[in-house]
Amino acid sequence: MSPAWPALASAGNRRLVADLAIALAAAMAGAVRRSPWTIALAMLLFAVVRAWQAVSASKLARRAGEIPAKALSPVADRVGVQTIAAAACYVGGLASSMLLLPTAPFSALAPADVGAAVALVFLTLAISTSNSRPVPDCGLTSSRKLIDPSAQPWMRPPHARGDLDIDPAPVTLETFFASPSYLRSNTASLALERRGLTIQKPPFAASEEMIAAAEHRLGVRLPVLLRRLYAVMNGGYVGDVFVPLTGPRTATNMWRPAFCDGCFALEPVDRLRTLADHRGYLPSGSTPLHAKTHKCIVLQARANDMTLLDCSDSAEPRVLIVDFDKPAGADPTDVGFASFEDFFAALRRRRTQWQPDQTADFGPPLGEVPADLRGRMFWGKGRPHAYLENARRDKNGPVPQLAADDALIASTEARLGLRLPSDLLHLWRLRNGGGVSCRFIDSLQQDGAGRIVEALRFPAPMEYFTTLAELSDRVVFPAGEMPWKTRFIDPERWIVLEADHGRLLLLDCRHAPPDGDVPVRIVDGLDRGELKEVLYVERFSHWLAGLRPRLRGFEDVSLLWTPEMGDQEHASA
């Protein structure tokens, strides 16, 4: 169906006609001396309706993968421009009438004026939004027409990306989970912070009993490969993995996130649920998936963007990547795979852009910095430790001091029954824990080649220093898992400076020298039962002298302190 007036087929022409209608009405109201509140009321109503339209525009932008603010800004701009234009036209009409009838009185705001304002709003909106009606195709596709992407394979679906540098190497069982720590309960950190409370440690990998219980609850049999993944780790962060939408798997293909964009995680097996049990909003429009919501397992969901395991067929379960934000009645499936094995074989990652072992990316070690600047270089421009805010909010134990003093140092050493290194005391007198800038150090691998590793991030305030034995006693371990203290000799003589998942920064005080300059060890893998020593340095002073700041790359802990920055800071103070 074509519009009644061909001139209105253009969206730009329709907006121009709507703007002229507002200008003409405002000028007429001024000419006949109607109350200025008539135009103010009309513009207020117009702004309310435009705000409602802005919500719709934001939703459409999100579906298209755009930034919602880009859809909102044109709407806001038009309301402001039309308000100013209407006021100017009203003043122009009023000035014209004053030249002809200078003594004519103004009319008070009346019900007729309210009706006229409402009529003006609906008239202009009817004209400016008529672009939702069908228009002749003419061989071109209108950007406002609702088109099913499955019927147009050449179109880019909302979540597709064609500019990715895809690594051709396949994802494996060992590389599927990108970070064993991210999006998982941080038992070690909670145990270090919450003194006097016990922390229940979840199992790192799902046991056969956990998988069988989930299958019984869901009434399905999980694919063998998915069961093997859960035996490696019970769900968690997988990183930005993608699958191709069409054609062969090449770097120039359209790629779609395999798991919800922004989450990139596999649900733990004990938290798997069916689509029918999913608490998110599921559109009411009829689609093929609505008939089998009890047989679709949600592997990951963010709003209406989901990765599903479709177990409705008696044969092998399929994997579907869906978007329920599509128009009502449209097939929400963006891409599907005949089996979980096919889905896993299609997974790819982006090429790594930055490697943390590039020597050029890091500054000189602290040992080459003047002694009076090392403390400020060590801490950098970071924020206080999160323990400080948590203690203030939860009132769980005393609030840690911002800087250590003689009384805190004496009480801490007495509580631990051990002497702390003098270099450590100097640092904690400047700041009592928090983000660290100089936190990378050269480490020799078994083959003798050097690489740079992250030595620490957020060491704890001195009030939270504890022994490895006490930290282990605060944790309730899953069945069959050894307590941490049983894996160390004399665990009561190891001081924990930082605990993050399975990674611990430790002072080995078993054979402490008189000056307290004890060895430093970093171990990892405690949360999964694979204890590994990441770093060993014979003395704390040597470890401190080897720490280096990062000069390039994303910094999320503490910015580098420089004398210039410090001078400006002192001058502003």
Side-chain angles (χ1 to χ4, degrees):
M1 180 185 299
S2 60
W5 291 18
L8 293 183
S10 167
N13 290 345
R14 287 191 295 270
R15 288 194 295 268
L16 178 59
V17 172
D19 291 342
L20 290 176
I22 294 175
L24 180 61
M28 290 179 61
V32 298
R33 306 290 180 92
R34 303 306 303 176
S35 172
W37 291 109
T38 303
I39 298 301
L41 178 61
M43 291 299 100
L44 176 62
L45 293 174
F46 197 85
V48 171
V49 178
R50 282 299 185 192
W52 175 79
Q53 290 180 331
V55 175
S56 301
S58 176
K59 187 174 182 179
L60 288 173
R62 181 168 57 86
R63 290 178 183 174
E66 299 172 356
I67 301 174
K70 293 183 178 179
L72 296 175
S73 58
V75 176
D77 292 344
R78 281 186 53 76
V79 171
V81 170
Q82 287 172 336
T83 301
I84 296 174
C89 291
Y90 178 87
V91 173
L94 178 61
S96 300
S97 70
M98 292 183 68
L99 293 176
L100 300 176
L101 300 170
T103 60
F106 281 93
S107 300
L109 185 66
D113 296 319
V114 177
V118 173
L120 174 63
V121 169
F122 279 100
L123 174 63
T124 54
L125 288 177
I127 296 173
S128 63
T129 59
S130 61
N131 57 335
S132 59
R133 301 173 184 174
V135 296
D137 197 341
C138 301
L140 299 176
T141 303
S142 170
S143 62
R144 292 185 179 271
K145 292 177 65 177
L146 300 178
I147 299 176
D148 183 4
S150 62
Q152 306 288 341
W154 48 269
M155 289 188 63
R156 175 186 292 218
H159 301 282
R161 300 180 182 179
D163 57 349
L164 298 180
D165 184 13
I166 295 296
D167 189 342
V171 175
T172 65
L173 280 170
E174 293 74 21
T175 62
F176 177 72
F177 292 105
S179 172
S181 301
Y182 189 54
L183 297 180
R184 292 177 62 86
S185 175
N186 197 339
T187 302
S189 179
L190 290 174
L192 182 61
E193 178 179 3
R194 298 185 178 277
R195 295 168 295 161
L197 300 178
T198 56
I199 305 298
Q200 186 76 39
K201 182 183 182 300
F204 183 79
S207 64
E208 184 63 30
E209 292 76 15
M210 293 174 62
I211 297 175
E215 291 177 332
H216 178 74
R217 173 173 54 85
L218 297 169
V220 300
R221 175 73 176 179
L222 297 179
V224 174
L225 183 54
L226 181 58
R227 293 168 60 92
R228 292 175 63 190
L229 285 174
Y230 279 124
V232 173
M233 193 168 93
N234 185 26
Y237 185 64
V238 301
D240 52 347
V241 287
F242 300 87
V243 292
L245 286 171
T246 58
R249 304 184 190 97
T250 65
T252 59
N253 232 5
M254 292 298 181
W255 296 85
R256 200 235 195 254
F259 291 86
C260 305
D261 200 355
C263 291
F264 300 120
L266 174 66
E267 286 285 353
V269 68
D270 48 320
R271 284 166 46 186
L272 288 177
R273 60 196 184 281
T274 65
L275 190 56
D277 296 331
H278 180 58
R279 292 179 295 179
Y281 170 73
L282 194 61
S284 58
S286 177
T287 71
L289 289 179
H290 280 81
K292 48 187 178 182
T293 56
H294 292 278
K295 289 296 183 180
C296 285
I297 311 301
V298 181
L299 299 181
Q300 177 59 41
R302 184 188 185 193
N304 290 331
D305 183 17
M306 306 180 189
T307 303
L308 304 176
L309 186 68
D310 181 7
C311 303
S312 59
D313 196 335
S314 58
E316 186 75 15
R318 300 187 302 155
V319 174
L320 305 176
I321 303 177
V322 302
D323 179 11
F324 284 109
D325 276 333
K326 291 182 180 178
D331 186 356
T333 304
D334 283 343
V335 60
F337 298 88
S339 66
F340 188 86
E341 286 73 14
D342 290 345
F343 164 74
F344 193 81
L347 296 177
R348 294 294 185 273
R349 298 190 188 277
R350 284 183 281 197
R351 296 183 193 272
T352 302
Q353 299 295 327
W354 182 80
Q355 296 290 341
D357 57 352
Q358 301 288 330
T359 305
D361 293 336
F362 299 90
L366 277 178
E368 300 179 8
V369 175
D372 60 334
L373 297 180
R374 289 179 189 174
R376 284 173 285 183
M377 293 286 289
F378 174 81
W379 293 112
K381 304 280 289 184
R383 58 187 184 275
H385 205 293
Y387 290 175
L388 176 64
E389 293 302 323
N390 292 343
R392 288 173 174 171
R393 182 183 65 250
D394 300 337
K395 297 181 173 57
N396 180 40
V399 176
Q401 300 175 193
L402 293 178
D405 53 19
D406 291 340
L408 177 58
I409 292 172
S411 63
T412 301
E413 291 183 331
R415 174 170 55 85
L416 298 173
L418 300 166
R419 183 176 178 183
L420 297 173
S422 58
D423 285 333
L424 183 148
L425 299 180
H426 172 71
L427 294 175
W428 263 251
R429 286 181 185 275
L430 294 176
R431 182 185 298 175
N432 188 26
V436 173
S437 175
C438 294
R439 63 181 191 277
F440 298 90
I441 194 168
D442 295 328
S443 173
L444 289 179
Q445 302 183 84
Q446 293 182 353
D447 58 3
R451 70 185 182 98
I452 292 182
V453 299
E454 191 172 37
L456 73 169
R457 291 174 66 82
F458 293 95
M462 198 168 287
E463 293 90 341
Y464 291 90
F465 286 2
T466 189
T467 66
L468 182 58
E470 183 179 352
L471 183 73
S472 179
D473 288 340
R474 298 174 185 171
V475 179
V476 178
F477 294 88
E481 188 168 321
M482 296 175 58
W484 295 335
K485 66 180 182 180
T486 62
R487 312 187 66 181
F488 292 81
I489 300 175
D490 296 334
E492 65 280 354
R493 297 190 64 80
W494 295 74
I495 298 177
V496 182
L497 301 184
E498 183 180 17
D500 184 27
H501 292 280
R503 185 181 177 98
L504 301 180
L505 173 62
L506 302 167
L507 298 181
D508 184 358
C509 301
R510 292 174 298 163
H511 308 288
D515 59 357
D517 200 6
V518 297
V520 177
R521 293 181 186 266
I522 300 176
V523 298
D524 201 357
L526 277 175
D527 56 345
R528 71 198 79 169
E530 301 174 358
L531 185 61
K532 177 180 65 174
E533 185 173 86
V534 178
L535 181 73
Y536 169 77
V537 181
E538 190 174 25
R539 288 177 172 271
F540 183 90
S541 58
H542 297 168
W543 172 81
L544 179 63
L547 294 177
R548 307 168 66 174
R550 180 161 58 191
L551 302 180
R552 294 187 295 180
F554 177 70
E555 179 56 67
D556 62 339
V557 178
S558 180
L559 296 177
L560 176 64
W561 183 92
T562 64
E564 291 78 12
M565 293 173 62
D567 293 342
Q568 295 173 3
E569 183 179 278
H570 295 318
S572 62

